[in-house]
Amino acid sequence: NVSSLILVKHTSALTLKVLGVIKDWLAILVSAAAFNTPVQPMQWVGYTLALFGVVAYSRYKRVQTQPSTEKESLLAVPVDDDHDDHNYVSANDTSEVESLSPSPIA
């Protein structure tokens, strides 16, 4: 219980729940391998869905904890300009859109 409190203090309650799910998977896998406990196909489907949820949560948290410049680089879209592989435009970059807009008539 003390370790759970320390974990929640430094992370979040959701992280504690995710670790609990991982602990359950390990118990199930060890039980199935060591004691030949049968695992039904529907149970495997449930475990797989839970695994995808943990992976999705981990990716979301990783993106949320990155500085905004790194987030923007994840959203960068390659620009095919003279076939140069090093030209990228950020998804939030509006400078090219502004340069294409018509100038006001005086």
Side-chain angles (χ1 to χ4, degrees):
N1 288 339
V2 173
S3 61
S4 297
L5 290 174
I6 293 170
L7 179 67
V8 171
K9 179 180 177 183
H10 291 289
T11 59
S12 70
L14 185 56
T15 302
L16 179 65
K17 285 295 189 184
V18 169
L19 289 176
V21 169
I22 292 171
K23 178 191 64 123
D24 292 343
W25 292 338
L26 291 174
I28 291 163
L29 290 175
V30 167
S31 174
F35 306 116
N36 292 328
T37 304
V39 180
Q40 301 300 316
M42 186 57 78
Q43 290 171 311
W44 286 116
V45 169
Y47 302 144
T48 304
L49 286 174
L51 176 65
F52 284 130
V54 169
V55 169
Y57 169 74
S58 298
R59 290 188 63 158
Y60 171 78
K61 287 298 278 186
R62 186 173 57 234
V63 169
Q64 292 302 313
T65 58
Q66 292 175 343
S68 72
T69 55
E70 289 182 32
K71 287 181 194 176
E72 288 179 10
S73 70
L74 292 175
L75 299 173
V77 179
V79 176
D80 190 19
D81 186 23
D82 297 327
H83 304 291
D84 186 6
D85 293 336
H86 302 291
N87 289 333
Y88 287 88
V89 128
S90 172
N92 295 330
D93 186 15
T94 59
S95 61
E96 194 167 316
V97 175
E98 292 168 359
S99 68
L100 295 176
S101 61
S103 59
I105 299 174

